[in-house]
């Protein structure tokens, strides 16, 4: 934090003393400070609010990229690797399979390790399916009628 932020040293010392799940407070402060330095105060505020709504409230955050998919594909069962490619989260089906098998894919809030998984209507939450790869790549799949 001393290298990547302009936080006062006493604030850094307070954050360094955090342990266990409290360490997440320090992570949020660091992310906010770095985003503020690189992109400005407005971008930091927006990123913080989006993260809070998505990860703390479980809300499908507005501002996430949305990809329309045919409702018929979900009714038939859309293979997860195909969905990852269609959403732009993977460049190929083989890359999608590697991501799934490596534990880097989530559907809504659940980790997925089955490369044969098919997305269906039952996977929608609030009318969308949230696909995530890693911690930073998120897309909402919006079924069309």
């Amino acid at each position: 934090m001393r290298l990547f932020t302009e936080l006062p040293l006493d604030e850094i010392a307070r954050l360094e003393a955090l342990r266990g799940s409290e360490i997440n407070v320090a992570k949020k402060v660091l992310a906010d400070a770095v985003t503020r330095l690189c992109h400005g105060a407005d971008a930091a505020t927006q990123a913080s609010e989006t993260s809070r709504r998505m990860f703390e409230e479980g809300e499908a955050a507005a501002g996430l990229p949305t990809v329309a998919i045919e409702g018929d594909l979900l009714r038939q069962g859309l293979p997860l690797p195909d969905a990852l490619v269609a959403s732009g989260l993977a460049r190929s089906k083989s890359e999608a399979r590697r991501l799934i098998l490596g534990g880097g894919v989530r559907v809504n809030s659940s980790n997925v390790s089955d490369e044969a998984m098919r997305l269906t209507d039952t996977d929608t939450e609030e009318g969308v399916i949230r696909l995530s790869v890693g911690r930073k790549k998120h897309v909402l799949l919006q079924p069309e009628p």
Side-chain angles (χ1 to χ4, degrees):
M1 286 191 161
R2 287 179 183 88
L3 290 173
F4 299 111
T5 71
E6 296 175 350
L7 292 172
L9 294 178
D10 58 335
E11 174 69 2
I12 293 172
R14 182 187 72 80
L15 294 169
E16 287 175 335
L18 298 176
R19 297 288 178 253
S21 64
E22 292 177 333
I23 198 77
N24 290 333
V25 172
K27 291 176 184 178
K28 289 176 188 177
V29 171
L30 176 61
D32 184 65
V34 171
T35 303
R36 191 172 301 277
L37 279 172
C38 294
H39 302 287
D42 290 341
T45 301
Q46 182 180 9
S48 177
E49 179 61 17
T50 300
S51 294
R52 184 190 64 75
R53 287 186 5 232
M54 185 170 175
F55 295 109
E56 293 176 15
E57 296 177 9
E59 182 178 313
L64 287 180
T66 302
V67 175
I69 56 168
E70 293 181 31
D72 287 342
L73 290 176
L74 284 182
R75 286 186 278 283
Q76 297 168 7
L78 175 64
L80 182 57
D82 292 354
L84 292 170
V85 172
S87 67
L89 293 174
R91 289 177 285 215
S92 65
K93 290 182 187 180
S94 60
E95 179 184 10
R97 287 186 191 96
R98 282 192 299 275
L99 288 167
I100 295 166
L101 293 174
V105 175
R106 286 188 316 279
V107 174
N108 298 318
S109 299
S110 302
N111 288 333
V112 177
S113 59
D114 180 7
E115 65 180 302
M117 178 184 183
R118 289 180 171 268
L119 300 176
T120 65
D121 293 341
T122 61
D123 293 310
T124 59
E125 293 181 358
E126 298 178 21
V128 296
I129 299 172
R130 184 173 61 214
L131 293 181
S132 302
V133 171
R135 294 182 181 193
K136 297 182 182 181
K137 295 180 181 178
H138 311 281
V139 171
L140 301 177
L141 293 181
Q142 176 79 48
E144 293 180 333

PDB file of all heavy atoms in Angstrom, residues 37-72:
ATOM      1  N   LEU A  37      -6.393   6.537  -8.347  1.00  0.00           N
ATOM      2  CA  LEU A  37      -5.156   7.077  -8.930  1.00  0.00           C
ATOM      3  C   LEU A  37      -5.105   6.889 -10.444  1.00  0.00           C
ATOM      4  O   LEU A  37      -4.676   7.769 -11.180  1.00  0.00           O
ATOM      5  CB  LEU A  37      -3.928   6.402  -8.306  1.00  0.00           C
ATOM      6  CG  LEU A  37      -3.473   6.920  -6.956  1.00  0.00           C
ATOM      7  CD1 LEU A  37      -2.381   6.018  -6.387  1.00  0.00           C
ATOM      8  CD2 LEU A  37      -2.969   8.347  -7.057  1.00  0.00           C
ATOM      9  N   CYS A  38      -5.530   5.716 -10.903  1.00  0.00           N
ATOM     10  CA  CYS A  38      -5.419   5.390 -12.330  1.00  0.00           C
ATOM     11  C   CYS A  38      -6.540   5.978 -13.181  1.00  0.00           C
ATOM     12  O   CYS A  38      -6.307   6.358 -14.326  1.00  0.00           O
ATOM     13  CB  CYS A  38      -5.402   3.873 -12.521  1.00  0.00           C
ATOM     14  SG  CYS A  38      -3.944   3.074 -11.846  1.00  0.00           S
ATOM     15  N   HIS A  39      -7.761   6.029 -12.623  1.00  0.00           N
ATOM     16  CA  HIS A  39      -8.924   6.385 -13.448  1.00  0.00           C
ATOM     17  C   HIS A  39      -9.723   7.571 -12.933  1.00  0.00           C
ATOM     18  O   HIS A  39     -10.671   7.989 -13.591  1.00  0.00           O
ATOM     19  CB  HIS A  39      -9.847   5.174 -13.589  1.00  0.00           C
ATOM     20  CG  HIS A  39      -9.178   3.982 -14.193  1.00  0.00           C
ATOM     21  ND1 HIS A  39      -8.851   3.903 -15.537  1.00  0.00           N
ATOM     22  CD2 HIS A  39      -8.743   2.828 -13.637  1.00  0.00           C
ATOM     23  CE1 HIS A  39      -8.263   2.741 -15.766  1.00  0.00           C
ATOM     24  NE2 HIS A  39      -8.184   2.070 -14.637  1.00  0.00           N
ATOM     25  N   GLY A  40      -9.414   8.053 -11.747  1.00  0.00           N
ATOM     26  CA  GLY A  40     -10.130   9.204 -11.209  1.00  0.00           C
ATOM     27  C   GLY A  40     -11.176   8.832 -10.181  1.00  0.00           C
ATOM     28  O   GLY A  40     -11.570   7.667 -10.046  1.00  0.00           O
ATOM     29  N   ALA A  41     -11.647   9.831  -9.464  1.00  0.00           N
ATOM     30  CA  ALA A  41     -12.586   9.639  -8.360  1.00  0.00           C
ATOM     31  C   ALA A  41     -13.932   9.078  -8.831  1.00  0.00           C
ATOM     32  O   ALA A  41     -14.515   8.211  -8.178  1.00  0.00           O
ATOM     33  CB  ALA A  41     -12.787  10.940  -7.605  1.00  0.00           C
ATOM     34  N   ASP A  42     -14.438   9.584  -9.955  1.00  0.00           N
ATOM     35  CA  ASP A  42     -15.743   9.109 -10.440  1.00  0.00           C
ATOM     36  C   ASP A  42     -15.708   7.620 -10.783  1.00  0.00           C
ATOM     37  O   ASP A  42     -16.622   6.877 -10.425  1.00  0.00           O
ATOM     38  CB  ASP A  42     -16.201   9.911 -11.667  1.00  0.00           C
ATOM     39  CG  ASP A  42     -16.576  11.340 -11.316  1.00  0.00           C
ATOM     40  OD1 ASP A  42     -16.826  11.614 -10.123  1.00  0.00           O
ATOM     41  OD2 ASP A  42     -16.608  12.182 -12.234  1.00  0.00           O
ATOM     42  N   ALA A  43     -14.659   7.203 -11.469  1.00  0.00           N
ATOM     43  CA  ALA A  43     -14.529   5.790 -11.840  1.00  0.00           C
ATOM     44  C   ALA A  43     -14.374   4.913 -10.596  1.00  0.00           C
ATOM     45  O   ALA A  43     -14.928   3.816 -10.535  1.00  0.00           O
ATOM     46  CB  ALA A  43     -13.348   5.583 -12.780  1.00  0.00           C
ATOM     47  N   ALA A  44     -13.641   5.398  -9.605  1.00  0.00           N
ATOM     48  CA  ALA A  44     -13.461   4.628  -8.370  1.00  0.00           C
ATOM     49  C   ALA A  44     -14.780   4.463  -7.633  1.00  0.00           C
ATOM     50  O   ALA A  44     -15.100   3.383  -7.139  1.00  0.00           O
ATOM     51  CB  ALA A  44     -12.433   5.311  -7.470  1.00  0.00           C
ATOM     52  N   THR A  45     -15.559   5.520  -7.586  1.00  0.00           N
ATOM     53  CA  THR A  45     -16.862   5.454  -6.924  1.00  0.00           C
ATOM     54  C   THR A  45     -17.788   4.485  -7.643  1.00  0.00           C
ATOM     55  O   THR A  45     -18.464   3.660  -7.020  1.00  0.00           O
ATOM     56  CB  THR A  45     -17.504   6.854  -6.856  1.00  0.00           C
ATOM     57  OG1 THR A  45     -16.610   7.722  -6.139  1.00  0.00           O
ATOM     58  CG2 THR A  45     -18.850   6.827  -6.168  1.00  0.00           C
ATOM     59  N   GLN A  46     -17.807   4.553  -8.965  1.00  0.00           N
ATOM     60  CA  GLN A  46     -18.668   3.668  -9.754  1.00  0.00           C
ATOM     61  C   GLN A  46     -18.233   2.207  -9.599  1.00  0.00           C
ATOM     62  O   GLN A  46     -19.068   1.318  -9.418  1.00  0.00           O
ATOM     63  CB  GLN A  46     -18.649   4.072 -11.222  1.00  0.00           C
ATOM     64  CG  GLN A  46     -19.563   3.226 -12.075  1.00  0.00           C
ATOM     65  CD  GLN A  46     -19.531   3.641 -13.543  1.00  0.00           C
ATOM     66  OE1 GLN A  46     -18.707   4.440 -13.956  1.00  0.00           O
ATOM     67  NE2 GLN A  46     -20.432   3.080 -14.318  1.00  0.00           N
ATOM     68  N   ALA A  47     -16.939   1.952  -9.663  1.00  0.00           N
ATOM     69  CA  ALA A  47     -16.433   0.582  -9.528  1.00  0.00           C
ATOM     70  C   ALA A  47     -16.734   0.023  -8.139  1.00  0.00           C
ATOM     71  O   ALA A  47     -17.133  -1.137  -7.992  1.00  0.00           O
ATOM     72  CB  ALA A  47     -14.931   0.539  -9.796  1.00  0.00           C
ATOM     73  N   SER A  48     -16.584   0.851  -7.127  1.00  0.00           N
ATOM     74  CA  SER A  48     -16.865   0.423  -5.758  1.00  0.00           C
ATOM     75  C   SER A  48     -18.336   0.077  -5.576  1.00  0.00           C
ATOM     76  O   SER A  48     -18.684  -0.943  -4.974  1.00  0.00           O
ATOM     77  CB  SER A  48     -16.449   1.527  -4.784  1.00  0.00           C
ATOM     78  OG  SER A  48     -16.763   1.166  -3.478  1.00  0.00           O
ATOM     79  N   GLU A  49     -19.210   0.898  -6.119  1.00  0.00           N
ATOM     80  CA  GLU A  49     -20.649   0.661  -6.005  1.00  0.00           C
ATOM     81  C   GLU A  49     -21.058  -0.595  -6.772  1.00  0.00           C
ATOM     82  O   GLU A  49     -21.841  -1.410  -6.277  1.00  0.00           O
ATOM     83  CB  GLU A  49     -21.437   1.875  -6.503  1.00  0.00           C
ATOM     84  CG  GLU A  49     -22.933   1.714  -6.440  1.00  0.00           C
ATOM     85  CD  GLU A  49     -23.486   1.494  -5.040  1.00  0.00           C
ATOM     86  OE1 GLU A  49     -22.785   1.780  -4.049  1.00  0.00           O
ATOM     87  OE2 GLU A  49     -24.617   1.005  -4.927  1.00  0.00           O
ATOM     88  N   THR A  50     -20.521  -0.781  -7.962  1.00  0.00           N
ATOM     89  CA  THR A  50     -20.835  -1.973  -8.750  1.00  0.00           C
ATOM     90  C   THR A  50     -20.381  -3.229  -8.018  1.00  0.00           C
ATOM     91  O   THR A  50     -21.126  -4.202  -7.918  1.00  0.00           O
ATOM     92  CB  THR A  50     -20.184  -1.897 -10.143  1.00  0.00           C
ATOM     93  OG1 THR A  50     -20.687  -0.751 -10.818  1.00  0.00           O
ATOM     94  CG2 THR A  50     -20.463  -3.145 -10.964  1.00  0.00           C
ATOM     95  N   SER A  51     -19.175  -3.207  -7.474  1.00  0.00           N
ATOM     96  CA  SER A  51     -18.659  -4.364  -6.730  1.00  0.00           C
ATOM     97  C   SER A  51     -19.497  -4.646  -5.491  1.00  0.00           C
ATOM     98  O   SER A  51     -19.809  -5.794  -5.189  1.00  0.00           O
ATOM     99  CB  SER A  51     -17.213  -4.116  -6.316  1.00  0.00           C
ATOM    100  OG  SER A  51     -16.386  -4.054  -7.431  1.00  0.00           O
ATOM    101  N   ARG A  52     -19.849  -3.599  -4.775  1.00  0.00           N
ATOM    102  CA  ARG A  52     -20.647  -3.776  -3.568  1.00  0.00           C
ATOM    103  C   ARG A  52     -21.989  -4.430  -3.903  1.00  0.00           C
ATOM    104  O   ARG A  52     -22.396  -5.405  -3.262  1.00  0.00           O
ATOM    105  CB  ARG A  52     -20.893  -2.436  -2.871  1.00  0.00           C
ATOM    106  CG  ARG A  52     -21.646  -2.571  -1.545  1.00  0.00           C
ATOM    107  CD  ARG A  52     -22.085  -1.227  -1.001  1.00  0.00           C
ATOM    108  NE  ARG A  52     -23.045  -0.558  -1.863  1.00  0.00           N
ATOM    109  CZ  ARG A  52     -24.340  -0.893  -1.971  1.00  0.00           C
ATOM    110  NH1 ARG A  52     -24.812  -1.905  -1.295  1.00  0.00           N
ATOM    111  NH2 ARG A  52     -25.147  -0.231  -2.776  1.00  0.00           N
ATOM    112  N   ARG A  53     -22.666  -3.910  -4.918  1.00  0.00           N
ATOM    113  CA  ARG A  53     -23.972  -4.449  -5.276  1.00  0.00           C
ATOM    114  C   ARG A  53     -23.868  -5.890  -5.765  1.00  0.00           C
ATOM    115  O   ARG A  53     -24.712  -6.725  -5.447  1.00  0.00           O
ATOM    116  CB  ARG A  53     -24.642  -3.577  -6.337  1.00  0.00           C
ATOM    117  CG  ARG A  53     -25.134  -2.277  -5.755  1.00  0.00           C
ATOM    118  CD  ARG A  53     -25.932  -1.396  -6.684  1.00  0.00           C
ATOM    119  NE  ARG A  53     -26.249  -1.902  -7.969  1.00  0.00           N
ATOM    120  CZ  ARG A  53     -25.996  -1.255  -9.115  1.00  0.00           C
ATOM    121  NH1 ARG A  53     -25.412  -0.077  -9.107  1.00  0.00           N
ATOM    122  NH2 ARG A  53     -26.343  -1.773 -10.254  1.00  0.00           N
ATOM    123  N   MET A  54     -22.840  -6.185  -6.510  1.00  0.00           N
ATOM    124  CA  MET A  54     -22.713  -7.516  -7.087  1.00  0.00           C
ATOM    125  C   MET A  54     -22.289  -8.549  -6.047  1.00  0.00           C
ATOM    126  O   MET A  54     -22.869  -9.630  -5.957  1.00  0.00           O
ATOM    127  CB  MET A  54     -21.714  -7.492  -8.238  1.00  0.00           C
ATOM    128  CG  MET A  54     -21.606  -8.792  -8.952  1.00  0.00           C
ATOM    129  SD  MET A  54     -20.632  -8.563 -10.432  1.00  0.00           S
ATOM    130  CE  MET A  54     -20.517 -10.218 -10.998  1.00  0.00           C
ATOM    131  N   PHE A  55     -21.266  -8.234  -5.249  1.00  0.00           N
ATOM    132  CA  PHE A  55     -20.693  -9.237  -4.360  1.00  0.00           C
ATOM    133  C   PHE A  55     -21.300  -9.237  -2.970  1.00  0.00           C
ATOM    134  O   PHE A  55     -21.356 -10.268  -2.318  1.00  0.00           O
ATOM    135  CB  PHE A  55     -19.177  -9.077  -4.281  1.00  0.00           C
ATOM    136  CG  PHE A  55     -18.507  -9.339  -5.596  1.00  0.00           C
ATOM    137  CD1 PHE A  55     -17.943  -8.304  -6.319  1.00  0.00           C
ATOM    138  CD2 PHE A  55     -18.467 -10.608  -6.132  1.00  0.00           C
ATOM    139  CE1 PHE A  55     -17.341  -8.537  -7.541  1.00  0.00           C
ATOM    140  CE2 PHE A  55     -17.874 -10.855  -7.358  1.00  0.00           C
ATOM    141  CZ  PHE A  55     -17.300  -9.818  -8.060  1.00  0.00           C
ATOM    142  N   GLU A  56     -21.762  -8.091  -2.477  1.00  0.00           N
ATOM    143  CA  GLU A  56     -22.329  -8.056  -1.142  1.00  0.00           C
ATOM    144  C   GLU A  56     -23.835  -8.250  -1.148  1.00  0.00           C
ATOM    145  O   GLU A  56     -24.384  -8.837  -0.237  1.00  0.00           O
ATOM    146  CB  GLU A  56     -21.960  -6.734  -0.453  1.00  0.00           C
ATOM    147  CG  GLU A  56     -20.468  -6.629  -0.172  1.00  0.00           C
ATOM    148  CD  GLU A  56     -20.060  -5.290   0.414  1.00  0.00           C
ATOM    149  OE1 GLU A  56     -20.942  -4.532   0.877  1.00  0.00           O
ATOM    150  OE2 GLU A  56     -18.856  -4.995   0.404  1.00  0.00           O
ATOM    151  N   GLU A  57     -24.506  -7.756  -2.169  1.00  0.00           N
ATOM    152  CA  GLU A  57     -25.956  -7.880  -2.227  1.00  0.00           C
ATOM    153  C   GLU A  57     -26.393  -8.975  -3.179  1.00  0.00           C
ATOM    154  O   GLU A  57     -27.570  -9.289  -3.262  1.00  0.00           O
ATOM    155  CB  GLU A  57     -26.581  -6.543  -2.663  1.00  0.00           C
ATOM    156  CG  GLU A  57     -26.354  -5.427  -1.679  1.00  0.00           C
ATOM    157  CD  GLU A  57     -26.919  -4.103  -2.150  1.00  0.00           C
ATOM    158  OE1 GLU A  57     -27.642  -4.079  -3.170  1.00  0.00           O
ATOM    159  OE2 GLU A  57     -26.627  -3.091  -1.503  1.00  0.00           O
ATOM    160  N   GLY A  58     -25.450  -9.526  -3.963  1.00  0.00           N
ATOM    161  CA  GLY A  58     -25.783 -10.573  -4.914  1.00  0.00           C
ATOM    162  C   GLY A  58     -26.629 -10.084  -6.077  1.00  0.00           C
ATOM    163  O   GLY A  58     -27.235 -10.857  -6.783  1.00  0.00           O
ATOM    164  N   GLU A  59     -26.638  -8.796  -6.284  1.00  0.00           N
ATOM    165  CA  GLU A  59     -27.460  -8.201  -7.341  1.00  0.00           C
ATOM    166  C   GLU A  59     -26.749  -8.307  -8.680  1.00  0.00           C
ATOM    167  O   GLU A  59     -25.544  -8.180  -8.776  1.00  0.00           O
ATOM    168  CB  GLU A  59     -27.676  -6.726  -6.993  1.00  0.00           C
ATOM    169  CG  GLU A  59     -28.539  -5.966  -7.943  1.00  0.00           C
ATOM    170  CD  GLU A  59     -28.717  -4.527  -7.475  1.00  0.00           C
ATOM    171  OE1 GLU A  59     -29.004  -4.310  -6.306  1.00  0.00           O
ATOM    172  OE2 GLU A  59     -28.547  -3.643  -8.327  1.00  0.00           O
ATOM    173  N   ALA A  60     -27.508  -8.542  -9.730  1.00  0.00           N
ATOM    174  CA  ALA A  60     -26.952  -8.506 -11.080  1.00  0.00           C
ATOM    175  C   ALA A  60     -26.725  -7.040 -11.404  1.00  0.00           C
ATOM    176  O   ALA A  60     -27.644  -6.319 -11.734  1.00  0.00           O
ATOM    177  CB  ALA A  60     -27.908  -9.154 -12.069  1.00  0.00           C
ATOM    178  N   ALA A  61     -25.511  -6.602 -11.243  1.00  0.00           N
ATOM    179  CA  ALA A  61     -25.198  -5.178 -11.316  1.00  0.00           C
ATOM    180  C   ALA A  61     -25.441  -4.606 -12.696  1.00  0.00           C
ATOM    181  O   ALA A  61     -25.056  -5.181 -13.705  1.00  0.00           O
ATOM    182  CB  ALA A  61     -23.743  -4.962 -10.911  1.00  0.00           C
ATOM    183  N   ALA A  62     -26.109  -3.460 -12.690  1.00  0.00           N
ATOM    184  CA  ALA A  62     -26.271  -2.714 -13.944  1.00  0.00           C
ATOM    185  C   ALA A  62     -24.878  -2.299 -14.383  1.00  0.00           C
ATOM    186  O   ALA A  62     -24.013  -2.109 -13.601  1.00  0.00           O
ATOM    187  CB  ALA A  62     -27.153  -1.506 -13.699  1.00  0.00           C
ATOM    188  N   GLY A  63     -24.651  -2.170 -15.607  1.00  0.00           N
ATOM    189  CA  GLY A  63     -23.323  -1.778 -16.057  1.00  0.00           C
ATOM    190  C   GLY A  63     -22.471  -2.968 -16.471  1.00  0.00           C
ATOM    191  O   GLY A  63     -21.420  -2.797 -17.063  1.00  0.00           O
ATOM    192  N   LEU A  64     -22.904  -4.181 -16.119  1.00  0.00           N
ATOM    193  CA  LEU A  64     -22.178  -5.348 -16.613  1.00  0.00           C
ATOM    194  C   LEU A  64     -22.580  -5.573 -18.062  1.00  0.00           C
ATOM    195  O   LEU A  64     -23.725  -5.326 -18.439  1.00  0.00           O
ATOM    196  CB  LEU A  64     -22.529  -6.596 -15.800  1.00  0.00           C
ATOM    197  CG  LEU A  64     -21.961  -6.694 -14.400  1.00  0.00           C
ATOM    198  CD1 LEU A  64     -22.406  -7.991 -13.753  1.00  0.00           C
ATOM    199  CD2 LEU A  64     -20.452  -6.623 -14.415  1.00  0.00           C
ATOM    200  N   PRO A  65     -21.649  -6.046 -18.868  1.00  0.00           N
ATOM    201  CA  PRO A  65     -21.999  -6.319 -20.261  1.00  0.00           C
ATOM    202  C   PRO A  65     -23.114  -7.362 -20.334  1.00  0.00           C
ATOM    203  O   PRO A  65     -23.128  -8.320 -19.573  1.00  0.00           O
ATOM    204  CB  PRO A  65     -20.708  -6.866 -20.868  1.00  0.00           C
ATOM    205  CG  PRO A  65     -19.643  -6.647 -19.882  1.00  0.00           C
ATOM    206  CD  PRO A  65     -20.267  -6.349 -18.566  1.00  0.00           C
ATOM    207  N   THR A  66     -24.045  -7.148 -21.245  1.00  0.00           N
ATOM    208  CA  THR A  66     -25.168  -8.066 -21.408  1.00  0.00           C
ATOM    209  C   THR A  66     -25.150  -8.616 -22.829  1.00  0.00           C
ATOM    210  O   THR A  66     -24.978  -7.873 -23.786  1.00  0.00           O
ATOM    211  CB  THR A  66     -26.502  -7.335 -21.152  1.00  0.00           C
ATOM    212  OG1 THR A  66     -26.460  -6.798 -19.822  1.00  0.00           O
ATOM    213  CG2 THR A  66     -27.677  -8.277 -21.275  1.00  0.00           C
ATOM    214  N   VAL A  67     -25.296  -9.924 -22.938  1.00  0.00           N
ATOM    215  CA  VAL A  67     -25.320 -10.602 -24.231  1.00  0.00           C
ATOM    216  C   VAL A  67     -26.677 -11.285 -24.376  1.00  0.00           C
ATOM    217  O   VAL A  67     -27.095 -12.047 -23.491  1.00  0.00           O
ATOM    218  CB  VAL A  67     -24.187 -11.649 -24.336  1.00  0.00           C
ATOM    219  CG1 VAL A  67     -24.284 -12.430 -25.625  1.00  0.00           C
ATOM    220  CG2 VAL A  67     -22.829 -10.980 -24.199  1.00  0.00           C
ATOM    221  N   ALA A  68     -27.380 -11.000 -25.458  1.00  0.00           N
ATOM    222  CA  ALA A  68     -28.674 -11.626 -25.719  1.00  0.00           C
ATOM    223  C   ALA A  68     -28.450 -13.031 -26.281  1.00  0.00           C
ATOM    224  O   ALA A  68     -27.579 -13.244 -27.120  1.00  0.00           O
ATOM    225  CB  ALA A  68     -29.474 -10.789 -26.710  1.00  0.00           C
ATOM    226  N   ILE A  69     -29.229 -13.980 -25.775  1.00  0.00           N
ATOM    227  CA  ILE A  69     -29.184 -15.347 -26.307  1.00  0.00           C
ATOM    228  C   ILE A  69     -30.623 -15.782 -26.609  1.00  0.00           C
ATOM    229  O   ILE A  69     -31.563 -15.325 -25.967  1.00  0.00           O
ATOM    230  CB  ILE A  69     -28.514 -16.344 -25.343  1.00  0.00           C
ATOM    231  CG1 ILE A  69     -29.216 -16.337 -23.983  1.00  0.00           C
ATOM    232  CG2 ILE A  69     -27.051 -16.083 -25.191  1.00  0.00           C
ATOM    233  CD1 ILE A  69     -28.799 -17.475 -23.096  1.00  0.00           C
ATOM    234  N   GLU A  70     -30.772 -16.645 -27.573  1.00  0.00           N
ATOM    235  CA  GLU A  70     -32.094 -17.129 -27.954  1.00  0.00           C
ATOM    236  C   GLU A  70     -32.672 -17.996 -26.840  1.00  0.00           C
ATOM    237  O   GLU A  70     -31.999 -18.881 -26.315  1.00  0.00           O
ATOM    238  CB  GLU A  70     -32.007 -17.940 -29.239  1.00  0.00           C
ATOM    239  CG  GLU A  70     -31.630 -17.113 -30.457  1.00  0.00           C
ATOM    240  CD  GLU A  70     -31.574 -17.959 -31.708  1.00  0.00           C
ATOM    241  OE1 GLU A  70     -32.340 -18.941 -31.806  1.00  0.00           O
ATOM    242  OE2 GLU A  70     -30.757 -17.634 -32.572  1.00  0.00           O
ATOM    243  N   GLY A  71     -33.922 -17.733 -26.506  1.00  0.00           N
ATOM    244  CA  GLY A  71     -34.597 -18.509 -25.474  1.00  0.00           C
ATOM    245  C   GLY A  71     -34.667 -19.987 -25.811  1.00  0.00           C
ATOM    246  O   GLY A  71     -34.615 -20.837 -24.929  1.00  0.00           O
ATOM    247  N   ASP A  72     -34.772 -20.293 -27.119  1.00  0.00           N
ATOM    248  CA  ASP A  72     -34.827 -21.695 -27.547  1.00  0.00           C
ATOM    249  C   ASP A  72     -33.555 -22.445 -27.152  1.00  0.00           C
ATOM    250  O   ASP A  72     -33.610 -23.630 -26.825  1.00  0.00           O
ATOM    251  CB  ASP A  72     -35.028 -21.806 -29.059  1.00  0.00           C
ATOM    252  CG  ASP A  72     -36.445 -21.448 -29.472  1.00  0.00           C
ATOM    253  OD1 ASP A  72     -37.343 -21.458 -28.597  1.00  0.00           O
ATOM    254  OD2 ASP A  72     -36.656 -21.144 -30.662  1.00  0.00           O
TER     255      ASP A  72
END
